[in-house]
Amino acid sequence: MSRVVDWLLLLAVAALMLWWIVRRFDRWLHEPPGVRLRRLAQKGTAPDDEISALLADNGFEVLAGKHRISLGVAVDDEPVQPTRLFFDYLAAKDDKYYLVKVDRARQPLDWTASGLRERLLVYALLFPDCDGIIVVDPRDRRVRTVRFQVEDDEE
């Protein structure tokens, strides 16, 4: 008798786990675009500083500041090496989300297409629902928006 109870208990737990996995997959599949950015905005707090004021002057609402994205890098068969990617703020304007990077004097941005690609494309790829990357230059009090567009090379 105890074997039957054990099997029934095992089947019940397996059915519960399967239901949970299907439910999580369905929720992930049908979540609206930008939900990942909204979660980041809910986690953080909007700082009250010079950059936030400059963004507000340009019509942006700062939702959160200073986020770290943990990544792992593996080369050949070596162990995974941890690394991090940072962006400074998350902002919104007209129901569109933007990642914000501050242009710092010690690592200035190269404003050529290849320079912007090398430094900012990774953010656009990690957050495809983002409508652009805002680059703030606090020295010149300038706010610029960078967007990437994939072009067809068929000739």
Side-chain angles (χ1 to χ4, degrees):
M1 182 70 174
S2 70
R3 283 189 148 191
V4 173
V5 172
D6 289 345
W7 275 106
L8 287 175
L9 186 59
L10 180 67
L11 287 174
V13 168
L16 186 63
M17 287 182 62
L18 182 64
W19 174 81
W20 180 78
I21 289 170
V22 167
R23 179 123 165 92
R24 293 284 297 174
F25 178 73
D26 185 59
R27 186 179 299 159
W28 170 80
L29 190 63
H30 293 101
E31 70 185 11
V35 79
R36 200 167 149 210
L37 291 170
R38 280 189 225 107
R39 281 189 202 134
L40 281 175
Q42 291 170 353
K43 284 183 187 177
T45 58
D48 186 23
D49 59 5
E50 175 189 357
I51 305 297
S52 296
L54 184 57
L55 287 166
D57 291 344
N58 284 279
F60 293 96
E61 176 191 359
V62 176
L63 303 173
K66 299 287 183 191
H67 281 284
R68 178 183 72 195
I69 302 161
S70 298
L71 301 170
V73 178
V75 178
D76 295 332
D77 292 330
E78 298 292 321
V80 175
Q81 300 173 27
T83 187
R84 296 175 310 273
L85 188 64
F86 296 92
F87 63 91
D88 298 308
Y89 299 91
L90 180 62
K93 181 178 186 179
D94 301 328
D95 293 325
K96 296 179 180 177
Y97 291 95
Y98 299 88
L99 298 180
V100 180
K101 289 290 289 175
V102 177
D103 193 9
R104 294 186 167 50
R106 67 175 187 250
Q107 278 187 320
L109 270 173
D110 178 11
W111 283 97
T112 63
S114 61
L116 292 171
R117 179 195 67 221
E118 293 298 318
R119 290 278 302 276
L120 300 177
L121 181 62
V122 66
Y123 297 103
L125 294 175
L126 278 173
F127 297 98
D129 299 329
C130 193
D131 287 289
I133 296 128
I134 305 293
V135 179
V136 178
D137 185 352
R139 294 177 308 272
D140 295 337
R141 299 195 52 78
R142 189 169 186 184
V143 175
R144 299 173 88 176
T145 304
V146 177
R147 290 183 182 90
F148 293 97
Q149 176 180 334
V150 178
E151 297 178 358
D152 291 332
D153 258 352
E154 295 178 21
E155 295 176 19

